[in-house]
Amino acid sequence: MGSRESKPAGVLDEAWRTFDWRQKEVLKERLEKFTPSNPDVTNIKILVAGQIGAGKSSFINSVLSVFQGEIVNEAIADTSSSGPCHSFTKRLRTYRIRSADADLPFELCDMKGLEPDRIPDCQPDDIVNSIYGHVKEGYKFEEKSIARDDEHYNQNPSLSDQAFCLVYVIDASTIQLAADDKIITKKLRLIRQTISDKEIPQVIVMSKVDEACPLVKKDLKMVYRSKKIKEKMELCSAKMGVPVSYIFPVKNYHYEINTNEDVDVLILKAFDQIVRSADTRQRHGAYNV
Ligand SMILES: Nc1nc2c(ncn2[C@@H]2O[C@H](COP(=O)(O)OP(=O)(O)O)[C@@H](O)[C@H]2O)c(=O)[nH]1
Ligand SMILES: [Mg+2]
């Protein structure tokens, strides 16, 4: 009361991150024209990790959708078609990003199996092996990690086989202020310890911002003015040890039948940062493993 316009509770006066909602075409075009700066590289591989249900498949679908200009459900179709009897079947799946008329030099790998207590489940070793490029597409993760004589074991991974950005998808609607540490499972911690000397960039995609804040659900543009989202980002940063500038809030496509400008631009902004981080790391050469 008293103010000219009543502002709903939880809305900050100023956006906590400056964001140009009209940059979609600029970002999209830049990514469509992108070529890896290391001439020995044909594509940039990005690993997408996170707990089951966090929104990994939806994020991959959303990136695919933005570039296709229509809703794509490749990654989700894969999970649902495996059916309940095969829900433990976890294969390494890679998704190639395509624009209207060409394949783009980006590959997204859906890393399944970071569920904290599920057995059989893939091993941290296998995820590390996937980062280093030792695991070939289609490999089925088992309880024990990949053997060196397995037909899917790649002895001599090229730069394009190795992943140069690790993306964690974290569900904004379930991050708690309480001292529960579930978002970093023991496995994730182990993986991070193992690769800590490799300087692999890490980007966090904070999904489901619509579910986390009703203001954002009503209007996605409120994402950078929502107090709740700001707090969740800070919490996420503290828990994961990743600077807030490497955390990107998104709403994934999950039930829509058409793409939408606001959803697209947030997805593109996250993806642009992922690609640029990966490219910078890749310029320094392969992991020596
Ligand atoms: N409201 C909302 N739901 C989402 C979002 N992203 C994913 N979901 C839903 O969350 C559930 C799990 O998503 P999924 O991509 O399969 O997670 P995954 O197990 O990490 O691959 C699905 O029911 C999705 O429809 C989002 O940004 N907003
Ligand atoms: Mg999935």
Side-chain angles (χ1 to χ4, degrees):
M1 294 244 294
S3 63
R4 271 178 295 132
E5 239 179 88
S6 65
K7 186 163 58 76
V11 178
L12 301 166
D13 286 331
E14 296 222 3
W16 52 270
R17 179 179 281 176
T18 39
F19 190 76
D20 179 1
W21 290 91
R22 295 159 304 176
Q23 64 185 315
K24 175 185 155 181
E25 289 309 323
V26 174
L27 288 173
K28 190 158 171 261
E29 220 173 282
R30 190 163 81 196
L31 285 159
E32 281 169 347
K33 287 190 184 140
F34 177 89
T35 45
S37 37
N38 187 325
D40 299 332
V41 166
T42 52
N43 61 274
I44 294 203
K45 193 155 127 184
I46 295 146
L47 229 68
V48 182
Q51 284 193 314
I52 190 158
K56 298 181 291 298
S57 303
S58 305
F59 177 66
I60 293 174
N61 281 325
S62 299
V63 175
L64 291 166
S65 302
V66 173
F67 286 100
Q68 302 254 1
E70 59 185 23
I71 301 294
V72 177
N73 275 318
E74 260 181 65
I76 279 183
D78 179 51
T79 28
S80 55
S81 64
S82 58
C85 309
H86 301 286
S87 57
F88 291 135
T89 307
K90 297 168 195 300
R91 289 182 194 274
L92 184 67
R93 269 295 315 257
T94 303
Y95 300 88
R96 166 70 72 159
I97 312 295
R98 294 176 299 273
S99 70
D101 40 34
D103 274 3
L104 303 182
F106 314 122
E107 278 183 359
L108 288 172
C109 291
D110 194 344
M111 282 309 310
K112 299 163 183 187
L114 276 180
E115 300 92 297
D117 309 308
R118 285 261 286 275
I119 294 173
D121 203 353
C122 78
Q123 296 303 315
D125 269 358
D126 273 346
I127 295 184
V128 171
N129 276 323
S130 305
I131 294 170
Y132 296 160
H134 290 308
V135 185
K136 290 187 193 167
E137 162 108 54
Y139 173 71
K140 180 168 162 263
F141 293 113
E142 308 277 357
E143 267 178 86
K144 57 177 181 21
S145 50
I146 188 166
R148 282 175 160 264
D149 57 0
D150 192 289
E151 57 168 324
H152 284 100
Y153 190 89
N154 183 351
Q155 301 278 357
N156 295 306
S158 71
L159 265 172
S160 302
D161 295 323
Q162 300 196 331
F164 288 98
C165 185
L166 190 51
V167 175
Y168 299 113
V169 180
I170 288 178
D171 178 343
S173 66
T174 56
I175 306 174
Q176 298 297 325
L177 278 169
D180 87 70
D181 229 0
K182 279 205 193 113
I183 62 160
I184 314 180
T185 66
K186 255 191 265 164
K187 284 186 180 165
L188 211 47
R189 205 173 282 136
L190 247 168
I191 295 163
R192 291 173 57 141
Q193 275 166 11
T194 317
I195 61 171
S196 63
D197 62 332
K198 300 289 187 278
E199 289 173 14
I200 175 168
Q202 300 174 32
V203 171
I204 295 181
V205 167
M206 201 173 81
S207 66
K208 307 193 194 180
V209 287
D210 55 321
E211 265 186 25
C213 174
L215 293 165
V216 176
K217 186 172 193 149
K218 246 174 84 188
D219 178 6
L220 191 55
K221 284 202 173 84
M222 293 307 275
V223 74
Y224 290 119
R225 285 186 62 198
S226 156
K227 200 168 159 220
K228 211 177 222 166
I229 299 295
K230 180 172 185 273
E231 285 167 2
K232 297 216 177 239
M233 299 268 293
E234 284 161 359
L235 184 68
C236 198
S237 168
K239 287 204 168 194
M240 298 294 290
V242 169
V244 172
S245 55
Y246 283 83
I247 307 181
F248 293 84
V250 302
K251 195 204 95 62
N252 289 319
Y253 288 118
H254 63 114
Y255 67 88
E256 293 81 352
I257 53 167
N258 293 310
T259 56
N260 160 294
E261 295 290 302
D262 296 342
V263 174
D264 279 359
V265 73
L266 284 181
I267 297 282
L268 277 170
K269 189 69 192 171
F271 191 63
D272 183 63
Q273 180 62 52
I274 291 166
V275 166
R276 284 187 298 117
S277 306
D279 189 54
T280 306
R281 176 59 189 82
Q282 206 167 33
R283 225 180 290 154
H284 301 309
Y287 302 123
N288 211 351
V289 286

